[in-house]
Amino acid sequence: MIEYHLNGDVSLNSPTKMPDAGSFLWNKHMMIQMNCRGYATAQFMQPEPAKYAHGPNIEATTFIQPEHPYYSHHPGRFFYIKDEQNQHVFSVPYAPVKKTPDEFHFIAGKSKIRWIIAQQQLLVELTLTLPCDDVAELWQINLTDMSGKARKLSLYSYFPVGYKSWMNQSAYYDDNLNAIICESITPYQKVEHYFANQRHKDSTVLISEFAATSFETRQAQFEGEGGLNFPDGVYQTQLQRGLAKYETPTAAMQFAIELSANSQYQQHFIFAPIESAEQAIQLKQQYMGATQFKRAKAQYQDYITSGQGCIRINSPDADINQFVNHWLPRQAFYHGDVNRLSTDPQTRNYLQDAMGMAYINPQTSQQAFITAISQQYHSGAMPDGILLHEKASLKYINQIPHSDHCVWLIICLQAYLNETNDYALLSLKLPFKDSTEQVSVFEHITLAIEWLLSQRDKRGLSFIAQGDWCDPMNMVGYKGKGVSTWLSLATAYALNIWRVIALQQQEHELAAQLALVANDINHCVNQHCWDGAWYHRGITDDGVGFGVSTDTEGRIFANPQSFALLAGAADAQQKCSIYHQVKQQLATPFGLMMLAPSYTKMREDIGRVTQKYPGTAENGSVYNHAAIFYAFALLEQGDGDGAWEVISKMLPTMDEDDLLTRGQLPVFIPNYYRGAYYQQPDVAGKSSQLFNTGTVAWYYRCIIEKVLGLQGCPQGLLVKPNLPSHWQTLNATREFRGATFEVSYQQLKGQATADSHSTAAKNVTLWLNGEQLPKRIIDNIQPGAHYQLTVIIA
Ligand code: CEZ
């Protein structure tokens, strides 16, 4: 059903088996998610995310949601093809006509999305790519006759633009441009919005390479009584040349084609939002035609390649090689380079995305830390949301007070410093959001720590406010008393991280204090938050511990367990108990659930997380972001097999059942797969199809630093692998601080058994350029040098 190509492309050979499966492309100004059937969700920045093709009804403006539903009038990019000799009609890629093709390949490439479809003795090849610097979709369609006879065809573009505006919308065909231009005015009521909307790209244009034989710009007339499966427009001899005058517009153009036997027809289209017709002319000049399309495609490929990251692996796991070498860095690059296309990314997301970018483009990563730190309050608090544009405002979740942002600053900065050794950054002086006073990054962090420590109750546990990492856990502490076990542990973890960095900076006194306080927090957590066999999740405003054995729903949460391991709070016995309980209660064939059992009714002392549909998102799905924390924590414990168990389930495998259940191609990690495994086994495993997730930065970090164990440190490269035991030999190429390491691993016997959660130091011997090394650190690394590193694990 799916196939990997050598260049990393992944193809799917059915439009029906995994109907929501798709892929996405982006540039700095836009993003488009295309599913295999032709439905599309696209947005661009002006500066806030906006759409240029809408649904048929007024749409709410919201952030990208999981399990996005598709329906027949959903925005999409389609072509109808009619054989004029027998009046047979089909559409590509698949919808709206949905006739079973003879052959179907949806091919997700890193810099293009393609379909190859055989139907009615025609071979249709559709390609979508993006320009690097403009908001526009570049389409190419090739039709090749396979009947061996001359053909008379009609090709119809059908790019619906939907309900653009209740104030003003219309559409016409422009003869000079060969384009349908759908105009509108963004609806508003406040006078200030009139001025704010001035430079909006309110029109949507579909430009064709060749003049259309005819056109229709009215959606209703195009469809007629036949509907989208049998549109009247397509079954008439010619489209009606109708002008939309406030009716819902559409971009349907007809092209009469005469194909001689076995010959090929090619045409290009540009679909884009524009401010004025002049912009359409410019787009046409720049991108229309085969040569221009090819050039833009090559430039876009270069852009995507610039994000290829710092590691290539050749392991015994072909699927993992594909993902780690091609798709994982791509997804991390998307997060780190365009910030999920938002102007006010959540602070923790922004910082974790910057962490992932440390392995791809350290300069961008550094700049993100600088931007974030410059928006810290003088009190030490980090804001909810980092503003990336002077016109940006805090929206949605960023209007809700969350208590955890400071810990991410420290956790993510550590990864950046590991990778780059850019300790000079710590001396850089930066201002605050609410003060022009400039202090060093190191002092900014000290303030962040002081702030975190000030936000604790008498017991020494961290207040949760209206949420911590878990956004919708909004009612545990809204009265000002509730605390978060997870945040208390994450604080101890962050303090331990900063203790090491403080030592490095010769701040011995601070380091000693941090050690004391971290210990103290761990002690408090053990005293108040250990439920007997695992850590609970927090204590509500009313003093009720939750995530405890007596809870019938939300009995255990993954995050406190992961961070107890990371913070060093759990002793050997507690660790054993955690491993056992997590496995018993949270593990599923599709990955690790974030909590279990899922809530089925509102708990007013916990919040809206309990109102989410059981098994979705934070209410007990396999929330990959939470799962990767657990994997990271296991890797820190030296448990390569345990971690691999979690990590390897984040991707759909080649197994057909697994693919069908997940319904997603292995070209990105979704934010979740449905959980509630024991409550709702029939839908468990289904992908959210949402590719915005903090998981990928951590996944990349896990692979580089922990699984392969090629982690940067002040002296150089620390080699400390935690390979899964079934990887007996493996090669990797690691770019590190300007040098290249060709690493070959040999694992002589399987490491400790999967259940042992071994912390025993493995016996690792290193050979660099043929010479055995006395220690696990490679120092004196020369930029530009090539090293051969052999790692023997006994
Ligand atoms: O968003 C993510 C956040 O971007 O949820 C994570 C959080 O750590 C990330 O920063 C866990 O809560 O508000 C909601 O209910 C949404 O469900 C968001 O919490 C969630 C969505 O997955 C993003 O689309």
Side-chain angles (χ1 to χ4, degrees):
M1 193 165 56
I2 72 165
E3 211 178 294
Y4 287 117
H5 303 214
L6 276 180
N7 63 358
D9 290 6
V10 177
S11 63
L12 167 68
N13 69 7
S14 159
T16 51
K17 287 187 177 163
M18 294 162 64
D20 293 346
S23 185
F24 68 102
L25 301 174
W26 80 91
N27 64 26
K28 289 205 194 276
H29 315 283
M30 66 173 291
M31 174 288 292
I32 178 163
Q33 183 169 27
M34 285 291 326
N35 84 5
C36 61
R37 296 151 78 93
Y39 296 111
T41 308
Q43 60 180 47
F44 71 106
M45 311 298 282
Q46 64 167 357
E48 294 301 339
K51 289 191 172 164
Y52 49 95
H54 303 260
N57 284 88
I58 291 185
E59 289 171 333
T61 308
T62 172
F63 49 102
I64 310 177
Q65 297 294 345
E67 298 194 43
H68 177 82
Y70 296 99
Y71 48 89
S72 59
H73 282 77
H74 190 281
R77 319 289 184 253
F78 311 102
F79 293 92
Y80 288 84
I81 295 163
K82 181 169 72 175
D83 189 322
E84 291 291 354
Q85 276 136 344
N86 58 22
Q87 300 295 300
H88 286 169
V89 172
F90 68 98
S91 64
V92 292
Y94 175 68
V97 177
K98 302 181 189 165
K99 259 192 203 155
T100 309
D102 299 328
E103 220 184 290
F104 179 93
H105 303 279
F106 169 77
I107 306 161
K110 284 178 284 177
S111 57
K112 56 185 187 285
I113 293 174
R114 278 195 308 148
W115 290 262
I116 298 174
I117 300 140
Q119 175 107 265
Q120 291 181 23
Q121 301 196 298
L122 276 172
L123 188 72
V124 186
E125 191 182 341
L126 256 184
T127 309
L128 165 67
T129 191
L130 300 184
C132 288
D133 299 316
D134 276 302
V135 182
E137 299 169 20
L138 308 181
W139 287 89
Q140 177 178 280
I141 184 166
N142 290 353
L143 301 177
T144 311
D145 168 65
M146 295 195 303
S147 70
K149 291 189 201 120
R151 311 278 295 259
K152 269 192 163 197
L153 305 167
S154 277
L155 170 73
Y156 303 83
S157 66
Y158 171 58
F159 283 42
V161 296
Y163 190 24
K164 282 176 79 69
S165 166
W166 51 260
M167 272 180 55
N168 186 327
Q169 57 179 14
S170 59
Y172 64 98
Y173 179 77
D174 182 321
D175 275 317
N176 297 323
L177 213 54
N178 304 339
I180 286 180
I181 299 184
C182 306
E183 296 181 319
S184 72
I185 291 172
T186 301
Y188 68 94
Q189 279 152 340
K190 294 183 181 158
V191 171
E192 59 266 32
H193 287 168
Y194 168 75
F195 295 100
N197 296 350
Q198 288 290 299
R199 303 299 313 268
H200 273 197
K201 293 182 168 178
D202 269 347
S203 300
T204 304
V205 67
L206 178 67
I207 315 172
S208 67
E209 187 174 5
F210 308 134
T213 318
S214 193
F215 61 86
E216 180 56 80
T217 72
R218 300 162 302 174
Q219 171 74 26
Q221 271 66 21
F222 175 74
E223 277 189 66
E225 296 306 306
L228 287 180
N229 299 50
F230 302 95
D232 288 6
V234 170
Y235 283 89
Q236 289 155 2
T237 325
Q238 285 224 327
L239 289 173
Q240 298 291 297
R241 299 183 164 262
L243 302 183
K245 299 177 175 177
Y246 194 59
E247 291 92 359
T248 301
T250 203
M253 289 188 246
Q254 179 177 4
F255 303 89
I257 299 173
E258 302 215 351
L259 261 189
S260 52
N262 304 316
S263 67
Q264 191 182 73
Y265 166 93
Q266 181 175 77
Q267 217 206 148
H268 296 90
F269 293 87
I270 301 169
F271 191 51
I274 49 168
E275 195 188 321
S276 62
E278 282 72 59
Q279 283 186 352
I281 296 169
Q282 280 167 15
L283 287 174
K284 185 160 189 174
Q285 279 166 355
Q286 208 169 341
Y287 300 115
M288 186 55 85
T291 318
Q292 290 84 339
F293 182 86
K294 217 169 148 191
R295 188 175 55 216
K297 201 167 68 162
Q299 283 166 354
Y300 184 60
Q301 188 177 356
D302 287 346
Y303 167 66
I304 296 294
T305 307
S306 74
Q308 68 184 355
C310 63
I311 198 100
R312 300 281 167 278
I313 62 170
N314 184 7
S315 82
D317 256 310
D319 300 2
I320 292 294
N321 298 345
Q322 275 282 334
F323 189 66
V324 169
N325 296 341
H326 296 287
W327 294 96
L328 174 61
R330 180 186 188 268
Q331 195 179 355
F333 181 48
Y334 157 76
H335 284 78
D337 202 44
V338 300
N339 307 117
R340 313 178 186 202
L341 288 172
S342 63
T343 57
D344 65 329
Q346 286 178 260
T347 305
R348 81 177 79 79
N349 294 2
Y350 186 66
L351 291 167
Q352 289 172 92
D353 294 349
M355 173 173 100
M357 200 62 166
Y359 308 104
I360 296 170
N361 182 341
Q363 283 81 29
T364 307
S365 177
Q366 185 202 57
Q367 193 49 54
F369 285 113
I370 291 174
T371 303
I373 292 169
S374 308
Q375 294 186 26
Q376 183 183 31
Y377 291 104
H378 201 266
S379 66
M382 286 298 286
D384 276 281
I386 301 297
L387 295 173
L388 299 183
H389 193 282
E390 74 274 9
K391 285 192 190 152
S393 57
L394 296 171
K395 297 175 290 298
Y396 309 120
I397 196 73
N398 286 329
Q399 297 175 354
I400 315 297
H402 287 71
S403 52
D404 63 317
H405 298 298
C406 284
V407 298
W408 299 107
L409 192 54
I410 297 163
I411 294 170
C412 299
L413 207 48
Q414 180 199 31
Y416 170 79
L417 292 173
N418 286 351
E419 188 61 16
T420 60
N421 217 22
D422 178 20
Y423 283 85
L425 176 66
L426 301 182
S427 315
L428 184 71
K429 293 201 165 182
L430 295 174
F432 295 87
K433 193 180 194 113
D434 52 354
S435 158
T436 50
E437 187 197 342
Q438 301 218 348
V439 304
S440 70
V441 167
F442 192 88
E443 288 166 282
H444 274 277
I445 303 289
T446 307
L447 287 171
I449 290 173
E450 282 168 8
W451 186 84
L452 279 169
L453 297 180
S454 74
Q455 302 298 305
R456 293 182 303 157
D457 72 356
K458 286 203 192 95
R459 290 167 294 212
L461 300 171
S462 301
F463 290 121
I464 187 171
Q466 288 184 40
D468 54 20
W469 171 90
C470 185
D471 280 336
M473 195 171 272
N474 60 337
M475 286 163 83
V476 170
Y478 74 106
K479 295 177 191 156
K481 289 193 185 143
V483 291
S484 160
T485 308
W486 169 78
L487 182 57
S488 307
L489 289 163
T491 302
Y493 174 51
L495 263 48
N496 280 330
I497 290 173
W498 206 249
R499 179 182 62 80
V500 177
I501 294 172
L503 273 182
Q504 180 69 32
Q505 299 294 301
Q506 310 299 327
E507 296 276 354
H508 295 279
E509 204 177 311
L510 175 65
Q513 271 173 15
L514 291 172
L516 279 178
V517 184
N519 269 339
D520 191 44
I521 295 174
N522 283 343
H523 179 73
C524 294
V525 170
N526 278 323
Q527 197 182 346
H528 301 288
C529 312
W530 177 254
D531 182 52
W534 61 85
Y535 290 94
H536 67 39
R537 180 62 173 84
I539 304 172
T540 68
D541 279 324
D542 304 325
V544 178
F546 65 103
V548 294
S549 56
T550 48
D551 282 331
T552 49
E553 298 187 340
R555 191 186 305 125
I556 179 170
F557 286 69
N559 281 355
Q561 323 316 324
S562 310
F563 279 76
L565 298 175
L566 290 170
D571 63 23
Q573 224 179 348
Q574 287 171 309
K575 283 184 193 174
C576 277
S577 180
I578 286 174
Y579 301 142
H580 177 70
Q581 295 298 336
V582 167
K583 199 161 205 170
Q584 285 288 308
Q585 302 192 57
L586 297 176
T588 83
F590 307 107
L592 202 70
M593 295 186 286
M594 188 188 127
L595 65 85
S598 291
Y599 294 98
T600 59
K601 47 192 172 304
M602 174 64 161
R603 258 190 75 167
E604 288 186 359
D605 58 347
I606 294 180
R608 72 184 170 87
V609 57
T610 67
Q611 293 181 293
K612 292 202 175 188
Y613 190 79
T616 69
E618 291 92 336
N619 190 9
S621 74
V622 170
Y623 206 83
N624 285 317
H625 196 185
I628 200 78
F629 294 149
Y630 190 63
F632 186 78
L634 291 184
L635 287 165
E636 287 270 85
Q637 305 296 310
D639 181 8
D641 279 325
W644 199 249
E645 183 75 20
V646 178
I647 292 176
S648 59
K649 294 206 166 64
M650 290 184 179
L651 267 187
T653 60
M654 293 296 270
D655 173 78
E656 184 141 342
D657 281 347
D658 187 57
L659 271 173
L660 290 176
T661 307
R662 299 191 194 240
Q664 190 212 295
L665 295 177
V667 296
F668 61 87
I669 297 207
N671 77 328
Y672 71 76
Y673 297 104
R674 288 284 193 98
Y677 182 69
Y678 299 101
Q679 294 157 286
Q680 305 203 347
D682 54 332
V683 277
K686 182 182 178 205
S687 166
S688 70
Q689 307 284 354
L690 181 64
F691 48 80
N692 284 349
T693 172
T695 313
V696 284
W698 284 95
Y699 192 124
Y700 212 30
R701 183 177 182 185
C702 281
I703 296 285
I704 296 166
E705 282 195 347
K706 305 294 170 191
V707 176
L708 300 175
L710 300 171
Q711 176 178 324
C713 66
Q715 299 78 25
L717 188 65
L718 170 67
V719 185
K720 212 175 158 195
N722 294 289
L723 304 183
S725 45
H726 68 280
W727 284 6
Q728 261 134 35
T729 56
L730 156 93
N731 294 319
T733 307
R734 164 81 153 109
E735 308 287 341
F736 181 68
R737 299 187 190 165
T740 306
F741 287 83
E742 300 290 348
V743 193
S744 72
Y745 294 82
Q746 284 179 45
Q747 190 157 227
L748 297 182
K749 50 180 189 239
Q751 70 176 70
T753 54
D755 268 344
S756 75
H757 300 277
S758 153
T759 50
K762 283 170 280 274
N763 197 352
V764 175
T765 338
L766 303 183
W767 300 75
L768 189 68
N769 295 339
E771 274 185 40
Q772 187 170 354
L773 291 178
K775 50 187 188 206
R776 285 182 173 212
I777 294 179
I778 300 168
D779 51 18
N780 196 20
I781 295 170
Q782 300 301 315
H786 268 74
Y787 298 96
Q788 302 290 332
L789 175 66
T790 306
V791 182
I792 314 275
I793 306 157

